[in-house]
Amino acid sequence: MKTISQLAGCGSYLPQNVVTNDDLAKKVDTTDEWIIARTGVKQRHFVADGEFTSDIALEASKRALEHAGVDGAEIDLIVVGTTTPDRTFPATAVRLQKDLGCGSGAAFDVQAVCSGFIYALSIVDSMIQTGQAKTALVVGADTLSRLINWQDRTTCVLFGDGAGAVVVKAVEVEEQSTDKAGILSTHIHSDGNLEELLYCDGGPSTTQSSGYITMVGKEVFRHAVTNLAAVVNEALEANDLHNSDIDWLVPHQANKRIIDSTVKKLKMSMDKVILTVGDHANTSAASIPLALDHGVREGLIKRGDLLLMEAMGGGLTWGAALVRW
Ligand code: UT7
């Protein structure tokens, strides 16, 4: 027998406070037209004062557990992809562990910025396959509104807050089984030489504050299209699959132009892409599970569909996951 990781359910949450492009234009030198043309973003959701990453992660997690029909007490592993934890330590994941009533197991955060969900999924898949966990919660949650530099119009219009989660279960199948439901493979990469293209200029060991986002937008855009197309091809080749086998591309929702360019480079159709960036902007680690949950709840993604998830973010980090839903 062998153990595979199956996605049992998903959930997501967006804070109630919606900020449109026109709202932003009242305090920043920008326009609705510019933001839509350059990014595809129409609005974003921001947490309220006193609302934290763990709060929105909790809502998304509860919805994922309900969707999966799993009780919090069954969860023996929580991995949260986040760059905006409530506290420098402990991890946001341990707050979730307490709030969801998970009595045992392990809980920790991974910090890979916009690739955080793919990194977290990759770690969980490995831990399930090696028998270290049976029922896991993988969360992507960020409140990038806390890191926005409102003096920098090239970045402040791009980001929003949100959270998404999936429940991943260990399932035993025959060694020779061709049943490919679940996670087929994950692929993660990073290149620390490219740190200066996208970073937050604070940190506990440097400024003792969280700092603000800084980005060389055009360079990040260029690397995103190249790296995302490459890692998608890597995932397909690893599974002896072709572009045409993918039912849905569930990309990191950073910018519609990056998604358009990546899809063009991959010679895929936009009809096979789950697109939600217009409604919530770039929510960092939350964007893939937000898009996944949207696709599932809208009835676009159906059981048995082959999904390709991909993301790139600060680090630079990037990765992909091929999943049979
Ligand atoms: O997870 C990865 C996260 N990163 C990303 O998704 C970002 C990737 N980069 C991008 O998507 C694009 O580089 C941006 C959307 C950030 C910017 O688009 P761009 O086509 O690279 O614009 P630009 O920075 O070259 O600026 C073009 C013009 C400039 O004016 P001039 O010099 O041509 O007169 C900017 O000053 O647009 C101006 N501009 C703005 N105008 C209105 C820059 N930001 C704004 C703004 N509103 N918010």
Side-chain angles (χ1 to χ4, degrees):
M1 299 291 280
K2 67 177 177 185
T3 308
I4 61 169
S5 312
Q6 284 193 356
L7 273 59
C10 58
S12 64
Y13 180 77
L14 288 163
Q16 286 179 0
N17 179 24
V18 175
V19 178
T20 65
N21 293 343
D22 284 333
D23 292 335
L24 282 190
K26 288 178 191 147
K27 65 174 188 171
V28 177
D29 180 16
T30 190
T31 61
D32 181 45
E33 293 72 29
W34 191 94
I35 300 172
I36 289 180
R38 300 289 173 136
T39 70
V41 172
K42 295 178 190 140
Q43 61 178 38
R44 68 286 294 139
H45 299 240
F46 286 158
V47 286
D49 289 344
E51 189 176 27
F52 306 128
T53 297
S54 67
D55 296 319
I56 60 175
L58 179 63
E59 285 308 316
S61 300
K62 282 181 181 169
R63 292 174 187 191
L65 289 170
E66 190 184 353
H67 188 226
V70 167
D71 190 80
E74 293 174 55
I75 298 292
D76 58 4
L77 174 65
I78 302 177
V79 184
V80 179
T82 188
T83 305
T84 45
D86 293 11
R87 287 179 163 165
T88 301
F89 76 82
T92 305
V94 297
R95 284 199 162 179
L96 275 187
Q97 193 186 31
K98 178 191 69 148
D99 293 340
L100 292 169
C102 314
S104 61
F108 58 91
D109 294 354
V110 293
Q111 213 273 47
V113 204
C114 299
S115 311
F117 180 77
I118 297 288
Y119 269 60
L121 194 67
S122 180
I123 293 163
V124 164
D125 183 34
S126 301
M127 290 181 72
I128 282 182
Q129 285 187 48
T130 53
Q132 294 179 79
K134 291 261 177 279
T135 311
L137 187 63
V138 185
V139 183
D142 267 311
T143 49
L144 286 195
S145 62
R146 305 292 196 221
L147 306 177
I148 287 173
N149 175 2
W150 289 108
Q151 308 310 315
D152 178 7
R153 68 173 181 167
T154 65
T155 56
C156 71
V157 300
L158 303 176
F159 301 102
D161 302 335
V166 295
V167 176
V168 184
K169 277 184 163 181
V171 175
E172 300 294 318
V173 295
E174 295 289 338
E175 195 69 44
Q176 304 307 323
S177 168
T178 51
D179 176 6
K180 292 272 188 149
I183 298 173
L184 305 195
S185 66
T186 62
H187 308 263
I188 55 174
H189 298 277
S190 57
D191 185 350
N193 293 305
L194 302 172
E195 174 179 345
E196 299 304 315
L197 298 185
L198 176 53
Y199 63 96
C200 197
D201 64 0
S205 77
T206 51
T207 63
Q208 292 84 53
S209 69
S210 46
Y212 296 109
I213 296 167
T214 300
M215 178 168 67
V216 186
K218 277 196 195 306
E219 282 297 297
V220 173
F221 192 110
R222 194 173 61 79
H223 282 284
V225 176
T226 305
N227 292 337
L228 291 173
V231 80
V232 164
N233 284 327
E234 181 186 334
L236 289 171
E237 276 169 31
N239 293 279
D240 206 14
L241 291 166
H242 188 262
N243 288 353
S244 57
D245 296 314
I246 301 171
D247 293 300
W248 290 103
L249 185 71
V250 187
H252 169 45
Q253 311 281 322
N255 181 320
K256 183 170 181 298
R257 281 167 60 226
I258 293 181
I259 296 172
D260 287 342
S261 303
T262 308
V263 164
K264 198 171 163 195
K265 198 166 171 139
L266 290 167
K267 298 187 173 56
M268 287 180 65
S269 159
M270 282 302 282
D271 294 344
K272 289 184 162 194
V273 180
I274 304 288
L275 198 62
T276 57
V277 65
D279 295 327
H280 55 65
N282 182 348
T283 56
S284 188
S287 88
I288 289 178
L290 272 165
L292 173 69
D293 191 44
H294 170 84
V296 169
R297 292 191 193 248
E298 289 296 309
L300 301 168
I301 296 173
K302 299 188 176 56
R303 281 288 169 198
D305 280 355
L306 186 65
L307 313 181
L308 217 160
M309 307 172 187
E310 44 86 332
M312 196 199 81
L316 295 180
T317 57
W318 64 100
L322 199 52
V323 173
R324 180 79 64 190
W325 176 248

